[in-house]
Amino acid sequence: MASHIVGYPRVGPKRELKFALESFWDKKSSAEDLKKVAADLRASIWKQMADAGIKHIPSNTFSYYDQVLDTTAMLGAVPPRYGWSVGEIGFDVYFSMARGNASVPAMEMTKWFDTNYHYIVPELGPDVKFSYASHKAVEEFKEARALGVDTVPVLVGPVSYLLLSKPAKGVEKSFSLLSLIDKILPVYKEVVAELKAAGATWIQFDEPTLVLDLDAHQLEAFTHAYSALESSLAGLNVVIETYFADIPVAAYKTLTSLKGVAGYGFDLVRGTQTLDLIKGGFPSGKYLFAGVVDGRNIWANDLAASLSTLKALEGIVGKDKIVVSTSCSLLHTAVDLVNETKLDKEIKSWLAFAAQKIVEVNALAKALSGHKDEEFFSANAAAQASRKSSPRVTNEAVQKAAAALKSSEHRRATNVSARLDAQQKKLNLPSLPTTTIGSFPQTLELRRVRREYKAKKVSEEEYVKAIKEEINKVVKLQEELDIDVLVHGEPERNDMVEYFGEQLSGFAFTVNGWVQSYGSRCVKPPIIYGDVSRPKPMTVFWSSIAQSFTKRPMKGMLTGPVTILNWSFVRNDQPR
């Protein structure tokens, strides 16, 4: 019975890491205090997985900020502006790279593939001197071992690390990041040697760039890198993880031909065509880490459907070579459903956060080995059926309205020039009108008023009065600055997505469903569980008040539908 988790959220069930980090950054607590919180979180995660029966438990997926930044530290690839040259990289240099400091800016941050997580982009040039400068991967493996838990250390793979980097400022355009591969491999060899010496039997390389549209030169880098690592990896079981999408045919062939590799991990939730590739041919004697439990969304797994998929795959790769896994790291989902005390019972029965997904993975692995928990599977089937048939999910009026849409309705009835003329007659704007995007800073006082109103500590009348005063202040400021088209500053909004979701039907909200966006920044995505409709006007009240304070045009502010979709946990029972 083999089960595996690609990675796990590191913020803690109630954002313990966030508060520890911010306390440390504000100099309210020591480095030792921060390390203690981190160690406690790691220990509880490893114990949770071990107690659930997971066989391949990951280590080194915890991070104080970001796993790519951890790899930069491991490789000693610190940009010169941070003043580091030798020795183990400590918090001062590490957090300066992530956040900047009084004298130097932070490194660039960008989206991790198509998730809402952000990673710190390595800055590399031909003169970078790589050295083994952070022993975190080995230290965390030993830490877990001391607690009686054998783990699979996880490293960002060498090729993905380079492909996700950017050339440092001033480097010639012709410079190829992949030309650095032979310079970083010696450090990877040192890490692997230390992990072997510490007793590791498995090691996981995350190479998610394999799902991108890579050219022959980029694919050749994988072949080269793992050939060069082959002798170092001897005696270890190596799994290479891919995730977030289907793996293209050429990349699949490259991956499954790599030397010294024991198994391959695939996202079989988003990678629907990858199933066909596996069915068309899988290397004999290799392990398939089948990512059938969704690491990107919060819906309970359809256990019966997943078991059927796993049984079909078992027939191809062999009974003892299939490992039940998550589609990607659980970093991208909320931590634990247990902490949702206010969530509607019916909706709660349809959900699984990271802690519940561990249980699902193990239940599927047990069922595959002939030890099916009938009670657990029955409860799951009942929840799946309830979600399919619930009148709360399907709204006939919305269905009819959507079905009645014509393609002509996606185009305006008048052309741009006619609309511009009409707009200019009404608004009389200068040739280059000025405006701002919309939101003004949310002061502590504003947040206090909103919090107290929610907790029914201040009346609606007092709340409206406070928001009106803030809007009036923002309007006057813009008039003083001679802005042409004004905004009301959005003081009534808690979050640009949550605010609208709370006023729409088909949305549910959590209390502790936090997901890391970057560093200590967490977001709480709404859950879209049903057909969405708007029961009443949403912004008219505040926009009208704002317009009453000025003769200048006031913009109405709406978060767009694509942003709402991308920043929410969306339904998985229909296409996006």
Side-chain angles (χ1 to χ4, degrees):
M1 186 193 81
S3 49
H4 168 251
I5 305 295
V6 176
Y8 199 79
R10 71 247 330 197
V11 291
K14 293 189 175 173
R15 293 181 293 162
E16 290 84 349
L17 181 62
K18 169 191 171 67
F19 300 121
L21 280 168
E22 290 173 0
S23 174
F24 172 69
W25 293 335
D26 290 342
K27 297 184 169 54
K28 291 176 183 171
S29 59
S30 68
E32 292 314 307
D33 294 330
L34 174 57
K35 286 175 184 174
K36 170 83 169 65
V37 171
D40 288 347
L41 280 171
R42 288 193 296 269
S44 70
I45 291 164
W46 291 326
K47 185 179 185 303
Q48 188 182 350
M49 291 195 209
D51 288 350
I54 300 296
K55 183 180 176 184
H56 299 294
I57 296 169
S59 60
N60 200 40
T61 58
F62 173 86
S63 178
Y64 285 103
Y65 206 94
D66 162 55
Q67 70 269 18
V68 181
L69 180 63
D70 292 352
T71 312
T72 295
M74 181 184 89
L75 296 168
V78 180
R81 66 179 177 276
Y82 299 106
W84 176 87
S85 59
V86 71
E88 188 83 3
I89 288 171
F91 279 162
D92 52 346
V93 173
Y94 180 84
F95 287 129
S96 292
M97 288 193 286
R99 308 176 69 235
N101 58 41
S103 55
V104 290
M107 292 166 73
E108 184 190 324
M109 186 166 62
T110 195
K111 285 269 181 100
W112 178 245
F113 294 82
D114 65 343
T115 71
N116 286 327
Y117 177 77
H118 301 70
Y119 74 95
I120 302 291
V121 184
E123 301 170 16
L124 306 174
D127 303 325
V128 179
K129 301 276 189 291
F130 295 101
S131 64
Y132 187 11
S134 167
H135 293 64
K136 177 179 172 293
V138 179
E139 286 162 3
E140 288 188 15
F141 174 79
K142 288 178 175 175
E143 188 184 316
R145 260 212 145 173
L147 295 167
V149 183
D150 258 334
T151 61
V152 178
V154 178
L155 301 172
V156 173
V159 185
S160 287
Y161 177 77
L162 293 176
L163 290 175
L164 293 166
S165 302
K166 69 171 189 177
K169 206 173 179 183
V171 170
E172 287 182 23
K173 282 182 180 174
S174 60
F175 172 67
S176 164
L177 290 159
L178 288 177
S179 66
L180 298 171
I181 193 74
D182 289 326
K183 290 186 178 181
I184 69 170
L185 289 178
V187 181
Y188 274 91
K189 286 177 182 177
E190 284 187 74
V191 179
V192 168
E194 276 198 13
L195 286 168
K196 268 164 84 170
T201 55
W202 278 87
I203 189 166
Q204 176 180 319
F205 288 103
D206 282 6
E207 294 280 14
T209 54
L210 278 163
V211 304
L212 302 177
D213 189 13
L214 303 178
D215 61 32
H217 168 65
Q218 291 167 322
L219 289 173
E220 170 54 32
F222 288 93
T223 305
H224 173 75
Y226 287 93
S227 292
L229 287 171
E230 188 184 5
S231 58
S232 304
L233 296 170
L236 279 171
N237 288 300
V238 175
V239 57
I240 296 184
E241 271 292 340
T242 69
Y243 36 77
F244 298 148
D246 271 307
I247 184 163
V249 177
Y252 179 78
K253 285 178 180 169
T254 299
L255 173 62
T256 52
S257 305
L258 294 180
K259 292 180 177 176
V261 177
Y264 319 100
F266 299 108
D267 181 337
L268 300 180
V269 175
R270 289 200 163 195
T272 48
Q273 288 159 29
T274 302
L275 268 172
D276 295 332
L277 286 179
I278 296 166
K279 287 171 184 172
F282 190 79
S284 175
K286 301 290 187 181
Y287 289 92
L288 169 63
F289 284 69
V292 292
V293 172
D294 194 349
R296 291 282 301 266
N297 216 329
I298 42 66
W299 302 106
N301 187 274
D302 183 338
L303 295 178
S306 291
L307 187 57
S308 169
T309 300
L310 290 165
K311 282 181 174 170
L313 290 168
E314 190 181 53
I316 296 158
V317 305
K319 198 175 183 71
D320 59 338
K321 294 296 178 187
I322 190 156
V323 182
V324 183
S325 187
T326 54
S327 65
C328 62
S329 172
L330 298 174
L331 173 68
H332 310 289
T333 188
V335 182
D336 196 343
L337 198 53
V338 165
N339 297 312
E340 296 308 321
T341 49
K342 294 182 180 174
L343 202 57
D344 175 291
K345 265 189 184 171
E346 185 183 29
I347 292 173
K348 199 171 175 178
S349 75
W350 304 338
L351 307 177
F353 289 1
Q356 289 68 45
K357 288 176 188 291
I358 288 173
V359 177
E360 290 180 338
V361 166
N362 195 59
L364 285 165
K366 279 173 75 176
L368 199 59
S369 66
H371 302 282
K372 187 177 177 187
D373 183 337
E374 295 292 353
E375 196 179 329
F376 189 71
F377 269 71
S378 294
N380 175 266
Q384 297 292 326
S386 133
R387 188 176 159 212
K388 279 192 183 110
S389 62
S390 174
R392 303 167 69 176
V393 171
T394 307
N395 179 329
E396 274 186 43
V398 175
Q399 299 269 334
K400 279 179 185 166
L405 280 172
K406 300 182 191 79
S407 57
S408 59
E409 291 179 78
H410 294 290
R411 295 207 164 272
R412 305 280 186 97
T414 52
N415 65 31
V416 174
S417 56
R419 296 203 304 275
L420 279 173
D421 287 346
Q423 176 179 286
Q424 191 53 18
K425 276 176 192 150
K426 185 173 174 64
L427 304 179
N428 193 30
L429 294 171
S431 301
L432 283 172
T434 53
T435 188
T436 76
I437 286 178
S439 57
F440 273 57
Q442 296 258 333
T443 62
L444 290 172
E445 179 60 18
L446 255 182
R447 288 179 179 182
R448 182 192 63 77
V449 168
R450 211 169 44 236
R451 200 167 53 244
E452 290 185 353
Y453 174 59
K454 212 169 184 179
K456 297 186 167 57
K457 287 180 182 174
V458 299
S459 68
E460 186 173 359
E461 197 179 338
E462 290 171 291
Y463 171 70
V464 169
K465 183 171 179 279
I467 299 295
K468 270 185 177 177
E469 284 170 4
E470 181 64 22
I471 292 172
N472 197 16
K473 198 160 63 179
V474 165
V475 168
K476 281 194 164 54
L477 173 63
Q478 291 172 92
E479 287 186 331
E480 282 166 24
L481 296 168
D482 203 22
I483 302 289
D484 298 306
V485 179
L486 309 191
V487 296
H488 76 292
E490 304 172 23
E492 77 285 5
R493 301 185 189 179
N494 47 9
D495 171 272
M496 66 184 289
V497 172
E498 194 169 11
Y499 176 77
F500 288 100
E502 283 174 342
Q503 299 181 74
L504 295 165
S505 62
F507 278 77
F509 296 87
T510 62
V511 176
N512 286 298
W514 297 98
V515 179
Q516 185 183 18
S517 178
Y518 60 86
S520 69
R521 164 79 175 149
C522 300
V523 292
K524 194 153 58 72
I527 298 165
I528 304 177
Y529 69 84
D531 291 342
V532 177
S533 64
R534 179 172 56 96
K536 58 182 192 296
M538 299 191 293
T539 54
V540 177
F541 178 73
W542 298 116
S543 288
S544 303
I545 284 170
Q547 188 65 76
S548 72
F549 292 141
T550 182
K551 288 190 165 61
R552 300 185 187 208
M554 176 66 62
K555 274 199 293 190
M557 308 298 298
L558 297 167
T559 300
V562 177
T563 297
I564 290 180
L565 261 186
N566 286 337
W567 288 15
S568 301
F569 287 123
V570 298
R571 292 168 67 170
N572 62 353
D573 60 340
Q574 58 180 30
R576 288 170 75 82

